[in-house]
Structure formats: C-alpha cells, structure tokens
Amino acid sequence: AFGNQLIPSSMPLKKATVFLNPAACKGKARDLFEKNAAPILHLSGMDVTVVKTDYEGQAKKLLELMESTDLIIIAGGDGTVQEVITGLLRRADEAVFSKIPIGFIPLGKTCTLSHTLYPESTNQVQHIANATLAILKGETVPLDVLQIKGEKEQPVFAVTGLRWGSYRDAGVKVSKYWYLGPLKTKAAHFFSTFKEWPQKHQAALMYLGPTERPPEEPEEKPSRPPLYVRLYRRLRLYWSSPPKEIPQEVTPEDWEELKLSTIELSIATRNRQLDLTRTEDFMDICIEADTVSKGQFVNRGSQKMRDPHMCPEGSQCIQASRCILQLPEGTEGSFGIDNEEYEAMPVEVKLLPRKLRFFCDPRMREQMLHAAVQ
C-alpha cells in the first residue's frame, strides 16, 4: 500500500544517507538491513545512499566529510549511534548539521534507543520494518545529548549515558562464560567478587543543578516583511538616540562539590523516560552505595544487564546540567559510554538539551504526550 502511492512530479526528491554497520548483530546486520529495511526505503521514493563501515571509528571520519543530506539513517546498534552522533557534533558546522533529523534502524546486539522510539516487539523482522516505516512517516522527538570531554581528547557524545564501576566491568566479561549458558551472567559477577572485596571507586564530583527549559523555538521562520517596512524600521533605528547600556551583573555559577566512594557511578540522559512537557533540563547522576553484600552484587548485576542505568534503593541521586568527575591519580579501568568502552580519566560532562531530533513511531509520541497530560 505504501509503495503504490504516487509521488507528484513537482515534489523534490529527499536525500537519505544510511550509515550501515555490517558487523553489528554478530555480522547479520547487512542481511537484516537488505532484506527488511532497504526495500521499504527504496519504495519510499527517496534518493538513498548506503555507506557501509569497514572498521570501528570509520563513521566518525565519514561524517566529517559528509555533504548535505535531508536525513541521516543509522543502521546498527548503540556503538554505531554513538559514532555517528560524535562525528556529526564534532563538525565545525555542527549547528547546521545537528538540525538534520536522524532515523535509527535497530540491528545491533544492544539498541537502547529503540525502547524510546518504537513499540516493543518480539519479532525482529517486524521491529525493523516498523522502525523503517516510522522514519518515513516523519514524526520526530527531540533527544538530549551528553558531551563528555577529557583533558586532551576531542569530546565524545552520548545519547544514553556514562557508566563507571564494578557492575559495568563484570558485565563486559559475561560473554567469556558462554559455556555456562543461562548462568553466565551470575558467574561473571560472582567471580568478579574474588578480585577484591568490597569494591570501591573513589572520586570527587563537582556539579551544577538543573537549568530552566527555554520555550521551544518555532520550526518555520516568519516571512520577511516588505521592503518599505524594512527601510522604515532601519531609519527609525538610525534616528532614535542610542539607549544607555545597563551593565549586567554576572552571577557566579553555583558549583556543588562531593567526595564519593561508590560501587558504581552512572550519568544518564532522560531519553529513556522522555517527557516532552518538562520545564527543566537535567541529567541523572546515580551514586550507588559501596556497602553491598556479595549476594546482592550478583543479583543486582543480573538486573543491571537488563537495565544498565537503573538506580537501586539507597543510592544517592543528583539532577545536574553539568558535572566534572575527578579521579585519583593512577586510577585504572574503563568507562562505558553508550555501551562502548573508553579509558577512565577525569572528564567534564555537559548536557546538550534537545540537541538532536530522532524519528519515532507516531504511537510512541502520542503515548508520551498522553502520559504528560495525565
């Protein structure tokens, strides 16, 4: 039914650039895309260009060279999303390019964004087809982005968040215990308690509280007034006496400081519980207590595999718009940034509210607005 719709000859073709990671989903992503998503995209009447990535980090480089396009489609998992948005927001002209709407076709092992953008589905083929059709229907939602900057490196951008701690470290090793079948998750967490116990991560945290959300800017620019109106305004401005400038007092930023000892720290966006009507912009910082028994650690580790950014009872929860995480010298280990591994180092994390627009299923958008009204 969708493919049979006629496109008027006067309508300009939309250009779509697809970034496909063939290695996602244990190498099955290319087949899944070509069988289930590509036919729908080609039937849509768009000019589709598919860019296949050959190695990790290539999408970031390709984005730097990309010319203008009407929409960007990411076909892969969390890692591909993170690479594409990092490449996009590192561009010198990111202010223009960040306005390009982004579509996400979930093909990876972990696809965190799909829970926000599309209805749950146990049928993978149906899920991919629904996501592709949602992109073509054109409904979008604004998502927050975290800018994570080390002292030397270029910033990395994330749509889900950053994790640092023992649950993340144990979760990475789960696949090593594949031969234990359904017990592999518990085994990974159980064996990690042998290393050292209690597992404590020391750090210093400075943060700023939430910021007030400005009103949404209108999408369409107002039409330009006629020439005589513009000339009259210019003359009036020229002849009127210049107003005296009132010096504005710059209010110092109110940084809070905190010393922490935790089993795991996570800094997450609000994209998973998207509220389109909230009046404040913030990210959630969850500092988990370091007084956990080995049994609790193993059980909670299994829950965290399902929901990595859950904040258990007894944790300290902070809402912030910006934070600086200082680690003691000689700190080893890794951060998980959108499920991708990065070396642990002192970082500044800044919230970029409503920075990117992602296509979503119209039903999900309606649900979000309905929940906000209630």
Side-chain angles (χ1 to χ4, degrees):
F2 187 79
N4 285 334
Q5 287 176 22
L6 294 176
I7 300 170
S9 55
S10 57
M11 195 170 149
L13 272 186
K14 272 192 173 179
K15 189 179 177 190
T17 307
V18 180
F19 288 90
L20 169 65
N21 177 9
C25 197
K26 296 177 183 172
K28 295 177 193 163
R30 183 178 172 167
D31 271 0
L32 287 170
F33 174 77
E34 286 176 356
K35 284 180 183 171
N36 309 307
I40 299 172
L41 291 175
H42 292 304
L43 278 171
S44 69
M46 284 195 293
D47 176 9
V48 182
T49 307
V50 180
V51 179
K52 296 185 179 105
T53 57
D54 297 322
Y55 56 87
E56 206 175 307
Q58 191 186 14
K60 290 178 199 167
K61 290 178 182 173
L62 292 170
L63 255 296
E64 287 169 24
L65 308 168
M66 188 179 73
E67 291 172 14
S68 62
T69 183
D70 294 307
L71 59 143
I72 294 168
I73 298 171
I74 304 166
D78 285 356
T80 320
V81 172
Q82 202 237 338
E83 272 195 41
V84 170
I85 66 160
T86 296
L88 184 75
L89 296 175
R90 278 183 184 172
R91 288 179 67 110
D93 54 355
E94 64 85 16
V96 176
F97 269 74
S98 62
K99 289 186 169 59
I100 297 171
I102 301 171
F104 176 49
I105 300 174
L107 301 175
K109 198 172 77 169
T110 51
C111 299
T112 313
L113 267 187
S114 65
H115 304 302
T116 302
L117 303 174
Y118 313 119
E120 293 291 330
S121 175
T122 48
N123 183 329
Q124 192 184 25
V125 172
Q126 193 177 7
H127 196 51
I128 293 166
N130 283 346
T132 313
L133 281 168
I135 293 166
L136 302 178
K137 284 172 186 167
E139 285 272 1
T140 61
V141 285
L143 295 188
D144 296 345
V145 174
L146 297 184
Q147 176 186 289
I148 302 160
K149 197 171 188 322
E151 286 164 354
K152 300 169 193 165
E153 305 286 321
Q154 278 189 293
V156 169
F157 296 87
V159 283
T160 308
L162 175 149
R163 283 176 74 201
W164 174 56
S166 304
Y167 294 112
R168 192 216 75 87
D169 294 346
V172 170
K173 292 178 182 149
V174 167
S175 57
K176 284 186 181 177
Y177 300 99
W178 58 269
Y179 51 85
L180 293 173
L183 294 173
K184 62 186 176 196
T185 305
K186 286 199 186 305
H189 289 83
F190 176 66
F191 290 128
S192 80
T193 63
F194 290 176
K195 262 197 312 185
E196 54 168 311
W197 195 262
Q199 294 184 7
K200 294 183 181 183
H201 293 72
Q202 316 276 341
L205 184 76
M206 290 170 69
Y207 64 93
L208 290 171
T211 54
E212 212 168 300
R213 170 170 284 192
E216 187 116 30
E217 290 174 15
E219 291 263 325
E220 288 174 25
K221 290 181 181 174
S223 56
R224 208 171 180 207
L227 181 65
Y228 66 88
V229 175
R230 299 204 303 275
L231 282 170
Y232 169 69
R233 282 180 186 167
R234 289 242 177 119
L235 287 168
R236 196 177 64 179
L237 199 68
Y238 179 75
W239 293 113
S240 62
S241 56
K244 289 178 185 175
E245 283 190 17
I246 302 161
Q248 286 186 327
E249 281 184 29
V250 179
T251 52
E253 292 182 310
D254 195 14
W255 286 91
E256 302 272 342
E257 202 164 336
L258 196 66
K259 289 265 186 278
L260 54 98
S261 172
T262 177
I263 194 158
E264 182 149 294
L265 169 86
S266 71
I267 302 168
T269 60
R270 301 285 298 170
N271 292 338
R272 287 169 312 130
Q273 305 97 16
L274 209 53
D275 180 359
L276 301 177
T277 59
R278 72 169 190 264
T279 55
E280 284 188 324
D281 287 313
F282 55 86
M283 52 191 174
D284 290 320
I285 302 174
C286 174
I287 302 161
E288 296 186 38
D290 58 5
T291 52
V292 183
S293 72
K294 290 187 180 185
Q296 278 176 319
F297 179 78
V298 172
N299 287 332
R300 201 168 281 166
S302 303
Q303 293 171 340
K304 285 219 165 225
M305 289 298 286
R306 291 189 292 273
D307 182 6
H309 287 277
M310 67 170 275
C311 205
E313 259 183 70
S315 305
Q316 186 176 356
C317 299
I318 296 166
Q319 293 178 344
S321 57
R322 200 164 143 207
C323 73
I324 295 170
L325 182 65
Q326 292 286 359
L327 307 183
E329 228 171 284
T331 301
E332 292 179 353
S334 302
F335 290 148
I337 300 176
D338 276 9
N339 289 316
E340 290 293 291
E341 198 161 295
Y342 287 84
E343 185 193 338
M345 62 173 81
V347 287
E348 180 186 5
V349 184
K350 186 181 176 187
L351 179 75
L352 307 176
R354 298 182 294 173
K355 183 69 181 169
L356 298 172
R357 294 197 78 87
F358 272 77
F359 290 105
C360 79
D361 192 293
R363 290 168 291 174
M364 295 299 281
R365 189 185 161 87
E366 215 168 278
Q367 265 179 39
M368 289 171 205
L369 291 167
H370 188 64
V373 168
Q374 283 183 336

